[in-house]
Amino acid sequence: MTMPFLEVANVTKAFGHFVALRRISLTVREGRTTALIGPNGAGKTTFYNLLSGRLQPSEGTVHFCGRPVSGQPPHKINKMGISRSFQITNIFSELTVLENVLVALIAHLNLGLRFWRIVNRDKKLAARGMEVLERLGLGPLASSRAGTLSYGDKRLLELAIVLATEPKLVLLDEPTAGMTPEETHAVIRLLRSLAAEGKYTFLITEHDMNVVFGLADHIFVFHHGELLAEGTCEEIRAHPEVRAAYLGEEVD
Ligand SMILES: Nc1ncnc2c1ncn2[C@@H]1O[C@H](COP(=O)(O)OP(=O)(O)O)[C@@H](O)[C@H]1O
Ligand SMILES: [Mg+2]
C-alpha cells in the first residue's frame, strides 16, 4: 500500500464552545491540484492553520507522508515539506526581489547565525533564487525594490518565496484575490504549468469559481465546518446540495 500524501482523520477544531471544524476526514493526493471551497466562515483558514501548525486540532490527526503534522510547530512542518503563502505580509519592501527570496532560503536552510556559510554558499543561493524568479517571470525585476512592484507581481514574489524552499505541498490562500482579470489568467496558467511539472502539489482556497474550475483536479467543499462534498469539477458543479447551499448561479 502506498502511503497517503496528506491524510486528515477525524479532525475537530473548537474555539471555546464554538466548533469551527467538525470531524473532517480527507486525503489529498500527491500531484493532484486540490481546491478547498466554501462560503465565508466555512473553516477554510482554520483548516490551513491546522495543516501549517499555527493551530492544533482539538481532536483527530493530520499526517503528511506518514509523519504526524499535528503536535509539530510550524517550522518543523515547513521542513517536512508543507509551505504556505502569507499574502504579501511576508515581503520586505526595502529589500530587492531577489533578496526577499534569499531571506526565505537562508531561513529555510537554518543559515541564520552561520554567516560564513552564507558567504560560501552565496553564489549557489543566488543562482537558486534567480532560477525560481525566472520560472515565475520575475527575472527582469530581480534587483527592483520589492515595495515598488505592482500588486500582481507582489503576489508572484510571495509565490516565489514559497517555492524557493522546494516544498512538496503548497498551501495557497486565494492566490488570485485582488488581481486584474489578466493577472488572474496569467496566474492560472502559471499554476497549471507548475503543477504539470509534478514537483509541487497545490492545495488552493479560492472564491472565484472560474479559477477553481480552471485549476482543480479535485475539490473539497466545506460548509459550517463540515465536509459537505468532494469530487471532480464536474461532480461539484452537478452536486445538488453544493448548488443549493453555496454556489447558486456561479456554478453555471
Ligand atoms: N481564533 C478564533 N477564535 C474564535 N473563533 C474563530 C477563530 N478563528 C476562526 N474562528 C471562527 O471559525 C469560523 C471559521 O473561520 P475561518 O476558518 O476563518 O473560515 P473561512 O476561512 O472559511 O472564511 C468562523 O465562524 C470564525 O469566526
Ligand atoms: Mg478564510
Side-chain angles (χ1 to χ4, degrees):
M1 210 182 83
T2 55
M3 205 172 308
F5 187 59
L6 180 76
E7 188 167 50
V8 176
N10 249 314
V11 161
T12 292
K13 180 64 189 176
F15 297 108
H17 291 299
F18 180 75
V19 179
L21 290 172
R22 191 185 302 274
R23 291 174 175 278
I24 301 288
S25 292
L26 58 83
T27 303
V28 173
R29 279 218 245 143
E30 186 165 21
R32 191 156 82 168
T33 298
T34 302
L36 177 58
I37 66 170
N40 267 334
K44 305 181 295 294
T45 299
T46 302
F47 188 71
Y48 267 24
N49 286 336
L50 293 173
L51 298 185
S52 60
R54 290 180 78 188
L55 290 174
Q56 293 299 328
S58 310
E59 281 172 52
T61 56
V62 179
H63 282 83
F64 182 62
C65 299
R67 296 167 67 197
V69 162
S70 15
Q72 301 294 321
H75 70 276
K76 285 251 174 73
I77 294 171
N78 193 258
K79 287 267 186 306
M80 288 164 67
I82 300 180
S83 201
R84 169 183 180 167
S85 70
F86 282 96
Q87 308 216 328
I88 294 177
T89 52
N90 236 15
I91 293 175
F92 298 103
S93 310
E94 299 303 317
L95 298 184
T96 68
V97 167
L98 178 60
E99 283 164 349
N100 266 278
V101 174
L102 294 183
V103 167
L105 275 172
I106 287 166
H108 183 73
L109 296 171
N110 260 337
L111 299 179
L113 296 171
R114 285 172 276 163
F115 294 112
W116 59 274
R117 286 188 64 185
I118 300 175
V119 173
N120 282 338
R121 296 174 66 155
D122 195 70
K123 286 216 172 81
K124 247 171 112 182
L125 281 182
R128 168 75 194 133
M130 276 311 295
E131 200 183 299
V132 177
L133 290 176
E134 268 153 24
R135 181 66 187 83
L136 301 193
L138 290 175
L141 295 172
S143 49
S144 305
R145 239 171 27 88
T148 65
L149 297 187
S150 70
Y151 178 80
D153 285 338
K154 279 183 185 156
R155 297 298 310 263
L156 284 178
L157 174 55
E158 173 204 304
L159 184 60
I161 288 169
V162 170
L163 297 185
T165 62
E166 307 205 294
K168 289 186 257 185
L169 176 63
V170 184
L171 309 177
L172 299 176
D173 212 347
E174 309 216 355
T176 67
M179 288 190 172
T180 66
E182 291 72 27
E183 288 170 335
T184 298
H185 281 128
V187 167
I188 291 176
R189 269 199 308 276
L190 177 65
L191 291 176
R192 262 207 219 120
S193 78
L194 286 169
E197 282 173 20
K199 208 154 112 190
Y200 314 104
T201 299
F202 293 103
L203 178 61
I204 297 171
T205 71
E206 182 58 66
H207 262 93
D208 185 336
M209 284 305 130
N210 291 321
V211 175
V212 171
F213 292 138
L215 268 178
D217 303 311
H218 197 79
I219 301 175
F220 292 106
V221 186
F222 280 16
H223 184 37
H224 293 319
E226 300 193 21
L227 179 61
L228 176 85
E230 71 168 290
T232 61
C233 295
E234 289 66 37
E235 287 163 346
I236 293 304
R237 260 199 195 100
H239 196 287
E241 275 181 86
V242 175
R243 291 183 73 96
Y246 319 95
L247 304 177
E249 320 261 296
E250 274 186 280
V251 249
D252 303 313

